[in-house]
Amino acid sequence: MIISIIGAGNMARGIGTRVLSGGHSLRFHDRNPGKAEELAASLSEAMSGADVQASDAEGAAAADVVVLALPYPAGREVAASLGAALSGKVVVDISNPVDFSTFDSLVVPPGTSAAEEIAAAVPDAHVVKAFNTTFAGPLASGEVAGRPLDVFIAGDDDAARETVAAVVTSAGLRPLDVGPLRRARELEAFQFLHMASQERLGLGWSSGIALLP
Amino acid sequence: MIISIIGAGNMARGIGTRVLSGGHSLRFHDRNPGKAEELAASLSEAMSGADVQASDAEGAAAADVVVLALPYPAGREVAASLGAALSGKVVVDISNPVDFSTFDSLVVPPGTSAAEEIAAAVPDAHVVKAFNTTFAGPLASGEVAGRPLDVFIAGDDDAARETVAAVVTSAGLRPLDVGPLRRARELEAFQFLHMASQERLGLGWSSGIALLP
């Protein structure tokens, strides 16, 4: 598949590394084209033979799967600006809408989620929540405590969830399909707790949420 | 310590087994005294030398730690009825306020939690959320996938959280102190997702939520 990632930060690098290890083609897009080019060059060098390039917005929207690797609400704004270009596309929201000023709550109101707000902004896209509980660090290897990372997947379109699950599996991770997009509320809530507890629990942003066994 | 468990169902048996393995004294109370006596006799037989007995409500409230092993809102009602007897006590709420008619939401409104509602009903007690993410099955052995079960602990009283963490550690489990009682919102949300996904993920109610590594 051709996967595009919008954004060129740590999460873009982590997910991009996994996607390339799964044999997919990868396009990075960033509002700062230099950052996307730099990240593409870095991964191309690290993974010989990988098909990874920077792309303009149009090229990114033309991919099979479009990953919004941006903070919320920037991801929602970018999705809305792409608009019709995302019709029928699988759009992956990875965001955690944490109120970083207090680190004590989310910036989306109770009873919804960043994923649902993004879906409302691009109603003709198939929005899937995934990768919001995986930190960038463990994504580099795809493992935590010797186990493939668990990737929770929620979305209202069955085929879109299955597509994302296939990408996740090919990337050496474990997909956990938890059903409708509104389950993103619980995924965002728990990852907020996970993030808010890092210092208290001495975890160092290298931990992973898992369902055992 | 003397621990009391109010309720005599599967979770009471699971937590009771762990508490006894930690060398604590245990008192079971149930509105049906025969059920509490039966459970106490069963665990006494299974664990020779264990100090486990049935108790009346007054005896249960006099313990060092009082565990409400009841569904929500029954736990809130029992706590409210014990009232002043719980003043200054560590009271553990393990409930998951799932709407079992739809299995699609919680019965507490967004922006609060069962634990916070119980705390409001017994304002002079030190309410701690714990054991809501551990199923009864894995509690029998205390392990899942060869790892000690993770027990997430939230509460507003530092000493009460530390007391519960000490019980959890002595029981062979791993305490994860996630801070204030309002973190119960996220714990209840994610365990709801965990429960709602059992069938879809083929998990068989023997899985555990873990923070790895």
Side-chain angles (χ1 to χ4, degrees):
Chain A
M1 275 188 262
I2 302 176
I3 318 280
S4 69
I5 298 180
I6 301 181
N10 287 340
M11 285 298 291
R13 173 181 288 273
I15 295 169
T17 301
R18 290 294 100 225
V19 159
L20 289 174
S21 79
H24 302 286
S25 296
L26 183 58
R27 303 292 175 261
F28 284 114
H29 174 66
D30 194 87
R31 62 181 174 179
N32 180 340
K35 279 189 71 182
E37 282 161 21
E38 195 177 333
L39 180 52
S42 169
L43 291 189
S44 179
E45 194 179 315
M47 309 176 81
S48 70
D51 175 16
V52 51
Q53 299 169 33
S55 160
D56 59 13
E58 198 172 51
D64 299 307
V65 175
V66 180
V67 179
L68 302 171
L70 296 168
Y72 184 83
R76 185 189 63 195
E77 286 154 18
V78 166
S81 74
L82 289 171
L86 296 177
S87 282
K89 292 286 176 184
V90 178
V91 174
V92 178
D93 163 42
I94 73 163
S95 71
N96 284 294
V98 174
D99 184 340
F100 291 104
S101 67
T102 64
F103 234 114
D104 196 41
S105 65
L106 299 175
V107 296
V108 293
T112 185
S113 60
E116 290 165 282
E117 297 297 310
I118 288 171
V122 281
D124 295 330
H126 303 306
V127 174
V128 172
K129 189 88 195 182
F131 291 105
N132 80 296
T133 67
T134 52
F135 288 136
L139 279 169
S141 67
E143 295 191 346
V144 66
R147 298 176 60 92
L149 279 175
D150 278 353
V151 177
F152 295 88
I153 296 169
D156 289 334
D157 186 84
D158 292 348
R161 287 200 314 280
E162 285 163 19
T163 296
V164 175
V167 172
V168 165
T169 299
S170 67
L173 313 171
R174 186 171 79 135
L176 292 172
D177 177 345
V178 298
L181 193 62
R182 59 187 175 277
R183 288 292 83 78
R185 300 172 195 179
E186 291 85 38
L187 294 175
E188 294 172 12
F190 202 62
Q191 180 67 359
F192 157 57
L193 176 145
H194 185 202
M195 295 167 87
S197 303
Q198 288 293 303
E199 193 173 346
R200 180 182 285 275
L201 297 175
L203 288 171
W205 302 87
S206 59
S207 50
I209 297 169
L211 285 193
L212 302 177
Chain B
M1 275 186 260
I2 301 177
I3 317 279
S4 68
I5 298 180
I6 301 181
N10 287 339
M11 284 299 291
R13 173 182 289 273
I15 295 169
T17 301
R18 289 296 99 226
V19 160
L20 289 174
S21 79
H24 302 285
S25 296
L26 183 58
R27 303 290 176 261
F28 283 115
H29 174 66
D30 194 87
R31 63 181 174 179
N32 180 339
K35 281 189 69 182
E37 283 161 19
E38 197 177 331
L39 180 52
S42 168
L43 290 190
S44 180
E45 195 180 314
M47 308 177 81
S48 70
D51 174 16
V52 49
Q53 300 169 31
S55 160
D56 58 13
E58 199 172 48
D64 299 306
V65 175
V66 180
V67 180
L68 303 171
L70 296 167
Y72 185 84
R76 184 189 61 197
E77 287 154 17
V78 166
S81 74
L82 289 170
L86 296 178
S87 282
K89 293 285 177 186
V90 178
V91 173
V92 178
D93 164 41
I94 72 163
S95 71
N96 283 293
V98 175
D99 183 340
F100 290 104
S101 67
T102 64
F103 233 113
D104 196 40
S105 66
L106 299 175
V107 297
V108 292
T112 184
S113 60
E116 289 165 284
E117 297 297 309
I118 289 171
V122 281
D124 296 330
H126 302 306
V127 174
V128 173
K129 189 87 195 182
F131 291 107
N132 81 297
T133 67
T134 52
F135 288 137
L139 279 170
S141 68
E143 294 190 347
V144 66
R147 296 177 60 93
L149 281 174
D150 278 353
V151 177
F152 295 89
I153 296 169
D156 289 334
D157 186 84
D158 292 348
R161 287 200 316 279
E162 285 163 17
T163 296
V164 174
V167 172
V168 165
T169 300
S170 67
L173 313 171
R174 186 172 79 136
L176 292 172
D177 178 345
V178 297
L181 193 62
R182 60 187 175 276
R183 289 290 85 78
R185 300 172 194 178
E186 292 84 38
L187 294 175
E188 294 172 13
F190 202 63
Q191 179 68 356
F192 157 57
L193 176 145
H194 185 201
M195 296 168 86
S197 303
Q198 288 292 302
E199 194 173 347
R200 180 182 285 275
L201 298 175
L203 288 172
W205 302 86
S206 60
S207 49
I209 297 168
L211 285 194
L212 301 178

